[in-house]
Amino acid sequence: MSKPLIIVLITLGFIVFLFVLAGTGIMWLSSREYRPDDWEVVEVIPALSQRPVRFQPIELYSWNIGYASLDAKQDFFMDGGEGVRPAYARNVEENMWAIQAYFSAVAPDIIFLQEVDVNSKRSYGVNQADYFSETWKGSSAFALNFKCPFVPVPFPHFIGKVESGLLTLNSYGGTAERISLPSSFSWPERIAQLKRCLLVQRLPIQENGNNSSSDFVPPPGAELVLVNLHLEAFDTGGVGRTAQTRVLAEFLKAEYAKGNYVIAGGDFNQVFPDLKDVFPMQKNDYFTPGIVDDSLFGEDWIFAADPSAPSCRSLDKPYDGSRENHEFYIIDGFILSPNVELISVQTQDLDFKNSDHNPVKLTFSLK
């Protein structure tokens, strides 16, 4: 057998080996794919009896914490950078401590957190949901939206194992549920993608507030329905975001029709229409936010976000503190039903020190 033929056979054998290895990996990941039900009960720990009161101001913060790993020193490969995770576990721990210390100082009534890891290689296996729940004096509810035993990108520094989700911290009790959202990804790409959802918490209303002169009286059993969310980011053409926004709108309108108070908040990966020109979008081959279709919600619904500061930065490079050398977005905010009074909404400009997002504070009351 000639030497050139041997080289060809070895090359073909190696190619076949790679195909078999890839096929085996895909089948293994398929067998372990996270397949949540359309609707699931979420445990609220501990059970509390305190209820929100009509007419009294309530403070709610939303923050995509970037699994406590996307601080100002980091970039990320899916945004045009190179990073996959921080260099050291202590980077994650320091960010977690800073986030917890911030909330201890501002002492809100309710917190929506997105991108909270429980057992992921990218955040060194730290259970962030437990950490924030144990340092919170109220109740907590957690719902997975990303679970994969091995995310096989980027080569050769793979993301690896990911378990992550949404965490709602609450001064009240109530019940909670996980509602699955549609995905635009098909097999096999779907296997290692997020399985996005709404984390819904229902809080019974205390009937007597400070202002009993209001003409509006909610029906018996009315609830404050809180929806923590993180919609699609990297789907082609925004198809997933559009479908997820449609499901969100139908859910919120159905709850409002029952006489409930409804607030949805988090990372929409979209801009509210009246803020689309605040931070003009530059050419970006990696991430372009969508625009929320407010016509899905009807009249009198309130879209609350703060134009005075960006809520998110691009991750194509570490943040150097310059507002001219980076791309910024306002993709974090809230949608309120007409029976909720918006008192104020403010982006807390922390200059992206511990996350690629800034927290957003909502102050509201129940009419």
Side-chain angles (χ1 to χ4, degrees):
M1 187 179 294
S2 66
K3 186 175 180 180
L5 180 58
I6 293 174
I7 293 174
V8 169
L9 291 175
I10 291 174
T11 302
L12 289 175
F14 182 68
I15 292 173
V16 170
F17 170 75
L18 290 179
F19 271 103
V20 171
L21 183 64
T24 302
I26 290 172
M27 296 308 295
W28 178 74
L29 287 173
S30 295
S31 68
R32 301 189 64 184
E33 182 183 358
Y34 175 49
R35 298 183 177 90
D37 293 334
D38 292 341
W39 181 90
E40 296 177 347
V41 173
V42 173
E43 188 176 11
V44 179
I45 303 173
L48 301 176
S49 59
Q50 185 176 348
R51 298 183 176 189
V53 179
R54 287 197 298 142
F55 311 111
Q56 291 187 359
I58 298 172
E59 291 185 357
L60 190 165
Y61 281 71
S62 178
W63 196 355
N64 182 332
I65 64 168
Y67 42 98
S69 302
L70 298 176
D71 55 64
K73 299 177 182 178
Q74 312 302 322
D75 60 12
F76 186 56
F77 78 98
M78 290 189 71
D79 259 2
E82 299 179 352
V84 176
R85 68 173 182 173
Y88 304 103
R90 70 170 178 268
N91 296 126
V92 178
E93 295 165 355
E94 288 171 356
N95 289 326
M96 289 171 57
W97 181 88
I99 293 166
Q100 189 276 328
Y102 175 79
F103 284 126
S104 292
V106 297
D109 301 293
I110 305 165
I111 303 171
F112 290 172
L113 298 181
Q114 301 89 42
E115 291 196 357
V116 180
D117 278 2
V118 294
N119 186 11
S120 303
K121 177 186 174 183
R122 64 186 185 179
S123 52
Y124 293 88
V126 178
N127 192 322
Q128 299 171 357
D130 278 358
Y131 174 80
F132 291 117
S133 297
E134 290 168 359
T135 54
W136 173 253
K137 294 182 180 180
S139 67
S140 67
F142 177 79
L144 282 170
N145 66 5
F146 196 3
K147 184 178 181 180
C148 183
F150 184 79
V151 179
V153 291
F155 180 84
H157 304 294
F158 303 113
I159 293 176
K161 182 178 181 179
V162 177
E163 288 188 30
S164 186
L166 307 172
L167 178 66
T168 297
L169 303 174
N170 211 310
S171 297
Y172 314 98
T175 60
E177 58 202 77
R178 182 194 189 279
I179 298 176
S180 292
L181 291 172
S183 172
S184 61
F185 299 102
S186 57
W187 188 90
E189 187 179 8
R190 181 195 70 217
I191 299 168
Q193 290 288 345
L194 286 86
K195 304 300 193 296
R196 300 194 184 258
C197 68
L198 305 177
L199 174 53
V200 179
Q201 192 156 5
R202 300 176 180 275
L203 308 176
I205 304 297
Q206 185 170 320
E207 296 298 332
N208 296 322
N210 293 333
N211 183 2
S212 59
S213 63
S214 171
D215 293 332
F216 175 79
V217 179
E223 298 173 317
L224 171 57
V225 179
L226 301 171
V227 182
N228 185 354
L229 58 85
H230 184 193
L231 302 187
E232 202 64 70
F234 296 106
D235 60 325
T236 303
V239 175
R241 278 190 301 239
T242 300
Q244 291 168 3
T245 304
R246 187 174 295 112
V247 171
L248 171 67
E250 292 303 315
F251 175 79
L252 299 186
K253 290 189 295 184
E255 291 298 325
Y256 176 58
K258 298 175 186 176
N260 291 330
Y261 303 88
V262 188
I263 297 175
D267 180 354
F268 287 84
N269 278 311
Q270 299 173 89
V271 183
F272 294 150
D274 59 340
L275 300 181
K276 60 184 176 63
D277 297 322
V278 175
F279 294 100
M281 288 178 284
Q282 306 169 27
K283 180 176 174 54
N284 191 325
D285 295 330
Y286 296 93
F287 171 71
T288 301
I291 299 175
V292 173
D293 184 358
D294 55 359
S295 68
L296 295 171
F297 297 84
E299 297 181 359
D300 300 325
W301 285 76
I302 302 167
F303 297 84
D306 179 11
S308 68
S311 72
C312 178
R313 72 170 179 95
S314 60
L315 282 163
D316 56 314
K317 53 191 171 184
Y319 181 61
D320 62 6
S322 170
R323 291 291 166 95
E324 297 180 356
N325 295 332
H326 297 267
E327 190 165 358
F328 300 98
Y329 318 98
I330 302 175
I331 56 177
D332 303 86
F334 304 90
I335 299 176
L336 287 64
S337 57
N339 55 353
V340 177
E341 180 173 356
L342 171 63
I343 297 175
S344 66
V345 60
Q346 299 171 317
T347 298
Q348 309 298 293
D349 194 350
L350 305 185
D351 210 26
F352 308 108
K353 182 178 181 181
N354 302 111
S355 172
D356 60 319
H357 289 250
N358 281 321
V360 182
K361 174 187 177 183
L362 174 74
T363 306
F364 67 95
S365 65
L366 309 178
K367 294 181 180 178

